[in-house]
């Protein structure tokens, strides 16, 4: 490899996690080793427009919370060529020109960013992308599908149910009564496809369930409902492709009723304990389950695996997997690896290396019968 690796840093996007993505991008841009990497920022506006690197760099250098469209719109666009032609800049009055990028590091969280859409687009464009591919991203994002696959692999999963909007609207009373009967109270309602705890509610009384479902269905057509376990929240970071490594375990001690969006990103009062206070046997079991969960969803590059450890019984349950964990200065994923002995800049370098390795490996597949 000659010269610096040009890293396309994608951020923003059309989901409710847009602001978190911008903060993550600032963290990554500030930690990439400038001797080894050249950052090519690409901001995605809320309406899906890709800004050119110059306009995107201005967003990262400032303190804006969102990637806003250019005003006035001069007609400039970044285009993705699905014929392995990479990314192309198109400006009125000028010939289209390629934007040289060796690998993409996307921190576009949520819908359209970590659900396989961007991953598939970049794969068709012939650009390696950090993290899971199309399949792993899609099933990691869908909590219902992920839980089914965990159960099929024999991993411990807490009591849960899924509900679609059409079934709920057909008979709300029956659907709500069925959830309470199956899971008891309290319970949690959450969009099946979502992150950063957006749209999640803790329901203590049956009378509060309709409003909680209404909120969750505002973010997705499908909702996952989980039994409200009295449990500690434990997380592990996973890094690798075919032979993933697992970090030490950490614990989230939320400042609120549960670890919601505000306690994650706004009030800063939740506490993180790294390493978590666990006996050696339990810590080893959780780390082993993290690796199994990573493999069960056919993931690559990185993931954060979240667990519940039930108070009183010590039972461990796999809660969910985040294939694009936050990279903000307070995010758990880089903190876990730092505690394990891998500093943030080296973690980013390793993720980029893993993306290029996996891309090269996949390109060895046969494309013709003869």
């Amino acid at each position: 490899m000659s010269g610096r690796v040009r890293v396309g840093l994608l951020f923003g996007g059309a989901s409710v996690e847009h602001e978190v993505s911008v903060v993550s991008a600032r963290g990554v841009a500030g930690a990439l080793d400038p001797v080894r990497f050249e950052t090519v920022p690409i901001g995605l506006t809320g309406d899906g427009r890709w800004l050119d690197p110059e306009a995107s760099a201005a967003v990262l250098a400032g303190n804006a919370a969102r990637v806003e469209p250019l005003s006035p719109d001069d007609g400039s666009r970044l285009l993705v060529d699905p014929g392995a032609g990479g990314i192309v800049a198109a400006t009125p009055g000028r010939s289209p020109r390629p934007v040289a990028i060796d690998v993409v590091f996307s921190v576009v969280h949520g819908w359209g960013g970590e659900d396989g859409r961007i991953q598939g687009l970049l794969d068709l464009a012939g650009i390696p992308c950090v993290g899971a591919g199309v399949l792993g991203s899609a099933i990691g994002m869908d909590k219902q599908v992920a839980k089914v696959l965990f159960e099929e692999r024999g991993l411990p999963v807490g009591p849960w149910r899924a509900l679609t909007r059409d079934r709920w609207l057909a008979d709300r009373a029956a659907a709500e009564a069925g959830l309470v009967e199956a899971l008891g109270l309290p319970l949690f309602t959450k969009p099946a496809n979502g992150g950063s705890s957006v749209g999640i509610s803790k329901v203590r009384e049956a009378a509060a369930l309709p409003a909680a479902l209404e909120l969750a269905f505002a973010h997705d057509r499908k909702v996952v409902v989980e039994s409200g376990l009295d449990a500690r929240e434990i997380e592990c970071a996973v890094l690798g492709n075919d032979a993933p490594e697992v970090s030490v375990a950490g614990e989230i001690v939320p400042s609120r009723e549960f670890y919601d969006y505000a306690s994650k990103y706004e009030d800063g009062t939740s506490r993180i304990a790294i390493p978590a206070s666990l006996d050696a046997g339990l810590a080893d079991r959780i780390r082993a389950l993290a690796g199994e969960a990573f493999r069960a969803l056919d993931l690559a590059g990185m993931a954060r695996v979240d667990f519940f450890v039930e108070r009183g019984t010590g039972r461990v349950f796999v809660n969910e997997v985040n294939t694009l964990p936050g990279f903000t200065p307070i995010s758990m994923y880089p903190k876990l690896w730092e505690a394990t002995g891998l500093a943030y800049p080296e973690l980013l370098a390793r993720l980029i290396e893993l993306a290029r390795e996996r891309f090269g490996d996949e390109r060895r597949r046969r494309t013709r019968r003869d």
Side-chain angles (χ1 to χ4, degrees), residues 279-361:
D279 67 59
L282 181 56
D284 288 345
R285 170 165 164 72
I286 290 171
R287 294 179 68 248
L289 286 171
E292 283 298 311
F294 189 88
R295 286 184 281 268
L297 303 191
D298 194 27
L299 303 184
M302 62 178 164
R304 193 195 69 236
V305 186
D306 301 346
F307 297 89
F308 291 133
V309 177
E310 191 173 37
R311 292 185 176 90
T313 68
R315 292 189 301 172
V316 178
F317 300 101
V318 180
N319 178 28
E320 59 187 60
V321 167
N322 190 324
T323 62
L324 182 50
F327 275 88
T328 72
I330 62 170
S331 293
M332 192 68 153
Y333 187 84
K335 283 182 173 291
L336 286 168
W337 279 115
E338 184 178 19
T340 309
L342 187 61
Y344 193 19
E346 285 306 312
L347 171 62
L348 298 177
R350 179 64 180 140
L351 285 167
I352 291 168
E353 178 186 4
L354 286 166
R356 289 161 68 90
E357 285 178 0
R358 182 169 58 88
F359 184 83
D361 185 56

Side-chain angles (χ1 to χ4, degrees), residues 41-228:
I42 301 175
L44 280 62
T45 65
D47 62 0
R49 186 177 307 169
W50 293 36
L51 300 187
D52 66 39
E54 183 177 354
S56 302
V59 176
L60 287 187
N63 58 8
R66 295 186 61 84
V67 182
E68 301 294 351
L70 295 176
S71 182
D73 183 3
D74 64 359
S76 297
R77 297 289 186 272
L78 279 188
L79 310 176
V80 180
D81 182 351
I87 296 175
V88 178
T91 305
R94 296 181 58 183
S95 298
R97 58 199 185 281
V99 178
I101 290 176
D102 298 311
V103 60
V104 161
F105 197 126
S106 173
V107 290
V108 180
H109 299 298
W111 183 91
E114 59 183 296
D115 56 7
R117 288 176 170 88
I118 278 182
Q119 290 76 11
L121 181 67
L122 293 171
D123 189 50
L124 291 174
I127 305 174
C129 183
V130 167
V134 176
L135 176 65
S137 297
I139 60 180
M141 187 73 174
D142 191 310
K143 296 175 178 63
Q144 179 199 17
V145 175
K147 286 180 184 292
V148 169
L149 291 175
F150 292 152
E151 290 178 330
E152 188 274 338
R153 183 64 70 96
L155 300 179
V157 177
W160 69 283
R161 293 291 188 274
L163 180 66
T164 56
R165 186 189 290 116
D166 65 323
R167 282 184 52 215
W168 181 55
L169 293 177
D171 192 338
R172 296 191 183 198
E176 292 160 11
L179 292 173
V180 174
E181 180 181 359
L183 301 173
L185 292 167
L187 52 77
F188 284 91
T189 57
K190 57 181 66 175
N193 293 272
S196 293
S197 296
V198 175
I200 295 181
S201 302
K202 183 173 184 178
V203 178
R204 291 188 171 277
E205 301 175 348
L209 184 55
L213 289 171
E214 192 83 51
L215 175 63
F217 280 125
H219 295 279
D220 196 5
R221 56 168 289 276
K222 184 167 59 173
V223 165
V224 166
V225 185
E226 300 170 346
S227 178

